[in-house]
Amino acid sequence: MFNNFTFYNPVKIIFGKNTIAQLPKNIPANARIMLTYGGGSILKNGVYEQVKEALKGYDIVDFGGIEANPYYETLMKGVELAREAKVDFLLAVGGGSVLDGTKFMAAAIPSTEGDEWNNIVCGKAKYKTATPIGAVLTLPATGSEMNYYAVISNKGSGEKFGMGNPLLFPKFSILDPETTFSLPKRQVANGIADAFTHVMEQYMTYALNAEIQDRFAESILKSLIEIAPKTLNEPTDYESRANLMWAATVALNGWIGVGVPQDWATHQIGHELTALHGIDHGRTLAVVLPHLMRYKSDSKKEKMIQYAKRVWDLNGTDEELVEAAIQKTIDFYESIGIPTKASHYDIGMETVNEVKKRFTDRKSSFGENADIDGEAAAAILLSSIA
Ligand code: NZQ
Ligand code: ZN
């Protein structure tokens, strides 16, 4: 029997070709907007022009230069600018990093308490208000367009932490698959790996007869497996890109996670790998998940068998199916060009020890059974080195 739950997701999704033109219908006419973006991809692929054209007549201040795995230090510059310019609406145009960075800014702009890292990212203070956000998504991966989470890095301390608050749900997100045609193959692969792993974090736990959540999760996994080669090799194929974009959104908008246990240890270990080595988020997950599945194959056994049967259409003994579940996951990441061995990323014993120390110092205990502590994380990383 699955657990009680409350589901709430107010994000308006505007999906499809030429939808950026709908911006004015969704932003108050007298808004003072800050347009936030990344390192310049939107200036090259025509998205910036489309946004500016749609918002002619609006009062807009630009804040570009938000990097991948956005830094608190960079974002605070945007916060200062928004406060000075008395901005009252944030429009994030870009990938997960731009959306996440903008969510942090939305919480920080009205804050009067200072120390935004500790108060907002580390959650030491409760905030009751946030500047409203809208988004134009250009990279299918994180689900940030339809959830209230953000992941923020700190250059000074070398940390990367997740944060979240229902105040940070975007008011709307525009998803035009054509804006993703300009993505480099590596970023498409990262996005597929991220969405795939988001599903696994909410699915690969223990069974409790949550049929809708399970079959919905399996359908997202199967769709990602099916569309991956086509969308990687034919970037302008609208159908497969549209399917990827919607798959990534529903993988982390809350639907498949209601009432079921969730893991998220792969993400927590992955965030440390990005913080310590600068590895792309999607790639860190491929280094961790298969090895975590092996490490937890006793407690996850039932779901691993179900996954092997229903997602990969395999038959065999329980032992064979458990092994196949791990191998198929490795093969999938590798098939989209993402190596699953730590050695490929120069992750060695120093990193294993540092992750172990960080988790132990913070008394971390992740996973659906709250048993992924420093020791367990080290064991998982060690098996990815072997
Ligand atoms: O910065 P620009 O120039 O825009 O270039 C970006 C960046 O270099 C580029 N890009 C984006 N759209 C493009 C494009 N290039 C060409 N054409 C386009 N249409 O892609 C690069 C990567 O962008 P980024 O936003 O960093 O990637 P992604 O969407 O994968 O976001 C990763 C961040 O999201 C966090 C990750 O930890 C990481 O910091 N996550 C956020 C989550 C959430 N909010 O719920 C959950 C995830 O698990 C994840 O942790
Ligand atoms: Zn992720």
Side-chain angles (χ1 to χ4, degrees), residues 63 66 70-79 101 104-105 152:
F63 182 70
I66 299 175
Y71 283 126
Y72 164 72
E73 290 87 345
T74 305
L75 301 171
M76 281 309 294
K77 292 186 187 147
V79 169
F104 164 77
M105 290 194 269
I152 307 298

Side-chain angles (χ1 to χ4, degrees), residues 4-39:
N4 291 5
F5 65 84
T6 301
F7 179 72
Y8 172 70
N9 191 320
V11 183
K12 175 177 180 181
I13 296 291
I14 303 160
F15 193 101
K17 287 185 192 185
N18 304 320
T19 42
I20 291 175
Q22 295 185 34
L23 278 169
K25 279 194 222 157
N26 293 283
I27 304 179
N30 59 353
R32 278 187 301 275
I33 303 172
M34 186 159 88
L35 168 57
T36 60
Y37 59 95

Side-chain angles (χ1 to χ4, degrees), residues 96-175:
S97 294
V98 172
L99 270 61
D100 284 11
T102 306
K103 288 176 180 173
F104 164 77
M105 290 194 269
I109 291 164
S111 163
T112 51
E113 295 184 39
D115 194 4
E116 287 83 354
W117 175 257
N118 278 311
N119 284 335
I120 293 168
V121 180
C122 303
K124 300 239 162 76
K126 292 230 172 333
Y127 45 97
K128 297 201 171 61
T129 177
T131 306
I133 307 169
V136 176
L137 182 72
T138 64
L139 198 174
T142 63
S144 188
E145 64 278 12
M146 201 177 171
N147 68 41
Y148 61 66
Y149 305 115
V151 188
I152 307 298
S153 296
N154 188 313
K155 204 176 209 163
S157 66
E159 293 166 306
K160 185 180 191 209
F161 290 134
M163 54 173 269
N165 187 310
L167 292 166
L168 305 178
F169 273 123
K171 300 289 166 212
F172 66 85
S173 287
I174 292 183
L175 278 57

Side-chain angles (χ1 to χ4, degrees), residues 263-284:
D263 185 332
W264 295 106
T266 294
H267 268 70
Q268 297 297 343
I269 300 171
H271 289 339
E272 299 304 330
L273 299 181
T274 300
L276 294 166
H277 291 270
I279 304 167
D280 297 351
H281 172 65
R283 301 185 150 231
T284 65

